[in-house]
Amino acid sequence: MPSALTAWLDGFDFHRADAPLPFSRLHEPLMAAAAYLLFAIVANASVAAPWRRALATWSDASSWFIVWSVLHNAFLVVFSLAVMGGIFVDGTALARERGFYALLCPPVADEGGLMKGRALAWAYLFYLIKFYELVDTLLLAIRGKKIIPLHIYHHLVMLPTMWSCFNGELLLCLLMASFFNSLVHVIMYTFYGTTSLKMKVPLALKKAVTKVQIVQFVMGALGGSTFVVLYVRQPRLSFPYFTQGCAGEPYAIVATTCINLSFLVMFSSFFRTTYRKEK
């Protein structure tokens, strides 16, 4: 590994004040999400326009577009593998150093200093790639496809959600989401790369991609529920209504829990609706 990358990983600090990291301030992912939403709305509104049909015809016959699509998906497969490897190696080292329970429920005294070190640097790289993944929608639009609401919602909310995980000090949430979502992306972008080459993909493989995504959200719901149980200590009827048992900001916990549950519901509904039609 290059020495410059090693030094950056070792010295990573999401909250550094001297030189704020790209997209570490809330307005940045919000602006990106707003621009993305505007693009998706315009793309869907113009899907029947003659120039869009001409663009779709070009993309279907252009070898340049096929190469672009294949390289885009191949890059995301390789990147996802790198993040998985980095999270596994450095996350395991962090667990050995602190103990797994300290990752699951970091001490409140550590709050404000959790987003540092190598494992979190890999999670930050995972966060950054969310912005590049918006190219998925661009490729679909060029092909003349209508962008479905689930696709838009998924790409849209991941930007502020990942920011809230970092800013809200949700250590294990970041590590687990980065690892398992990268695993899903290895499978998903391999699938997309295959379809970019106009190869026939079995229905079972298409269903497997969505099933893996649903399993990811089920695991997120179970992990999030466990964390909430540990987080809320000594509940009471007067303010403050509980004693905080783990490090983490309440707004981030509520936001990530709601987003994960919304993904679980929407992907499950998509699976039932789509593959009932396919069958």
Side-chain angles (χ1 to χ4, degrees):
M1 185 179 294
S3 57
L5 177 58
T6 300
W8 182 80
L9 291 171
D10 289 335
F12 176 80
D13 181 358
F14 183 79
H15 297 303
R16 58 183 300 176
D18 55 335
L21 294 170
F23 302 106
S24 62
R25 291 163 292 188
L26 179 58
H27 71 275
E28 295 169 317
L30 289 181
M31 289 175 63
Y36 170 76
L37 179 59
L38 178 62
F39 172 82
I41 291 172
V42 171
N44 278 346
S46 62
V47 72
W51 66 271
R52 284 289 303 279
R53 292 198 295 268
L55 188 61
T57 301
W58 169 83
S59 69
D60 193 52
S62 171
S63 58
W64 288 103
F65 183 79
I66 294 173
V67 169
W68 178 21
S69 299
V70 171
L71 290 177
H72 167 75
N73 290 297
F75 166 71
L76 287 172
V77 169
V78 172
F79 185 91
S80 298
L81 285 170
V83 169
M84 281 178 61
I87 292 283
F88 180 79
V89 172
D90 293 323
T92 300
L94 185 62
R96 284 199 301 264
E97 176 188 339
R98 297 189 181 184
F100 178 77
Y101 184 80
L103 297 189
L104 177 62
C105 181
V108 177
D110 289 347
E111 195 161 11
L114 293 173
M115 302 296 107
K116 296 180 180 180
R118 297 176 65 94
L120 273 301
W122 289 110
Y124 174 71
L125 292 176
F126 172 81
Y127 167 51
L128 290 184
I129 207 65
K130 296 290 126 191
F131 295 87
Y132 174 73
E133 286 171 10
L134 302 181
V135 173
D136 291 350
T137 309
L138 174 62
L139 294 174
L140 286 174
I142 292 174
R143 291 172 56 203
K145 302 291 186 180
K146 193 172 183 66
I147 316 303
I148 65 173
L150 177 58
H151 178 97
I152 296 171
Y153 178 75
H154 183 212
H155 282 289
L156 183 71
V157 303
M158 282 303 295
L159 305 181
T161 299
M162 286 298 298
W163 178 89
S164 69
C165 286
F166 271 104
N167 202 66
E169 308 285 337
L170 301 186
L171 177 60
L172 192 63
C173 176
L174 279 169
L175 298 182
M176 293 295 99
S178 301
F179 181 85
F180 285 108
N181 198 238
S182 294
L183 173 61
V184 170
H185 283 186
V186 169
I187 301 170
M188 185 176 74
Y189 285 110
T190 299
F191 166 75
Y192 288 159
T194 302
T195 58
S196 298
L197 293 171
K198 302 184 185 302
M199 297 172 62
K200 185 174 178 61
V201 179
L203 176 61
L205 180 57
K206 293 170 65 177
K207 292 172 69 174
V209 172
T210 309
K211 284 181 179 178
V212 171
Q213 290 173 312
I214 292 172
V215 169
Q216 173 194 350
F217 301 132
V218 170
M219 293 175 62
L222 294 174
S225 300
T226 302
F227 179 75
V228 169
V229 170
L230 297 173
Y231 187 85
V232 178
R233 300 279 180 86
Q234 301 174 346
R236 47 187 172 268
L237 296 177
S238 58
F239 183 84
Y241 298 106
F242 61 90
T243 299
Q244 183 177 336
C246 312
E249 295 296 327
Y251 78 87
I253 298 168
V254 172
T256 54
T257 299
C258 291
I259 293 299
N260 185 80
L261 290 176
S262 69
F263 280 152
L264 178 58
V265 171
M266 294 178 73
F267 274 84
S268 299
S269 176
F270 172 81
F271 183 88
R272 289 193 303 269
T273 303
T274 302
Y275 297 114
R276 185 183 300 123
K277 290 179 180 178
E278 291 280 354
K279 184 175 180 181

